[in-house]
Amino acid sequence: MIAITPDCTTQELAPTEAAYVVRANYAAALAAAGALPVVLPYMPDRIAEIVARFDGFLISGSTPGVSEIPGRTDFELALIRAALAAGKPVLGICNGMQTIGLALGGSLIERLEPPTPRGTDHMPTPVPSAAAHSVTLSAGSRLGALVPAGSMEVNSLHRQAIRPDGDFRVAATAPDGVVEAIESAGSGYMLGTQWHPEYLLTKLDRALLADFVAAARRRS
């Protein structure tokens, strides 16, 4: 059973109409890999209970270029730290990877100009339903062990990035050097991808989601 953190939309003139929102393909991709996905509301006062009840946590993406959804970032930072301390697997996607990086002491590049100096456009279209650029998988990484090729094509939808200055290992980079995946530097399961594997475009996407679900199953 894997919890997915959502966005929260608010209406200034109608605060009672706030809604948790997450794209359905996050849940569909986890279900296809054998998990029971559950959308998780922001409940910072119940993090210990949440971590105890779920087998893994998927920190989802957000609106490109937005670093602070009210209530979301603080909740996710606390949830990530508690989950990793408890040995529960954590997967972060896009903004979710950046949030994991922040939780582990990293820092953000606030804006990538389109395209970056070496020609990589990290938000070429409004919907990441096709490959956008290649990534090079780091030798010896968990991610690199999932597919025999040393590089893969991935989709892309982001204007921010994480610097390689936290307590994690860089597992993939884009042609312009932007960090595209990070992994736990220790023995626990933590994986973050800057691209969106929930679109299931490649064998790497399917393999990493299956690997995450398998890790959660073992932990349960």
Side-chain angles (χ1 to χ4, degrees):
M1 189 162 65
I2 292 177
I4 307 172
T5 59
D7 258 344
C8 185
T9 63
T10 59
Q11 298 182 40
E12 184 176 353
L13 299 180
T16 59
E17 304 310 298
Y20 289 112
V21 179
V22 65
R23 273 186 288 102
N25 59 355
Y26 283 105
L30 286 174
L36 174 63
V38 178
V39 177
L40 182 66
Y42 309 158
M43 304 178 75
D45 58 334
R46 299 180 70 176
I47 284 179
E49 180 184 354
I50 290 167
V51 169
R53 285 180 177 268
F54 288 93
D55 304 312
F57 298 88
L58 191 157
I59 313 302
S60 71
S62 184
T63 304
V66 175
S67 60
E68 185 70 30
I69 301 294
R72 176 175 180 174
T73 301
D74 288 344
F75 171 68
E76 287 182 332
L77 288 171
L79 177 65
I80 290 164
R81 291 171 179 139
L84 294 176
K88 298 292 182 78
V90 178
L91 172 64
I93 293 176
C94 199
N95 181 71
M97 184 193 89
Q98 296 164 12
T99 306
I100 290 175
L102 292 176
L104 296 177
S107 59
L108 280 179
I109 298 171
E110 289 291 345
R111 182 166 180 84
L112 297 171
E113 296 301 327
T116 54
R118 289 175 62 183
T120 303
D121 191 346
H122 291 275
M123 198 167 72
T125 61
V127 178
S129 57
H133 60 76
S134 65
V135 297
T136 300
L137 307 178
S138 301
S141 66
R142 184 184 191 102
L143 195 61
L146 295 178
V147 293
S151 65
M152 291 290 293
E153 293 292 316
V154 299
N155 58 12
S156 190
L157 187 73
H158 65 108
R159 281 283 176 258
Q160 294 176 323
I162 197 74
R163 292 188 175 91
D165 55 1
D167 186 21
F168 51 78
R169 179 170 53 238
V170 174
T173 54
D176 58 1
V178 167
V179 175
E180 287 285 330
I182 59 175
E183 296 179 358
S184 172
S187 58
Y189 189 105
M190 182 281 292
L191 176 63
T193 67
Q194 191 60 76
W195 72 90
H196 286 266
E198 72 276 14
Y199 283 78
L200 300 177
L201 296 180
T202 68
K203 60 183 179 181
L204 176 59
D205 293 343
R206 294 186 289 273
L208 75 86
L209 285 162
D211 186 57
F212 170 57
V213 171
R217 184 177 292 111
R218 288 192 297 271
R219 187 59 182 81
S220 69

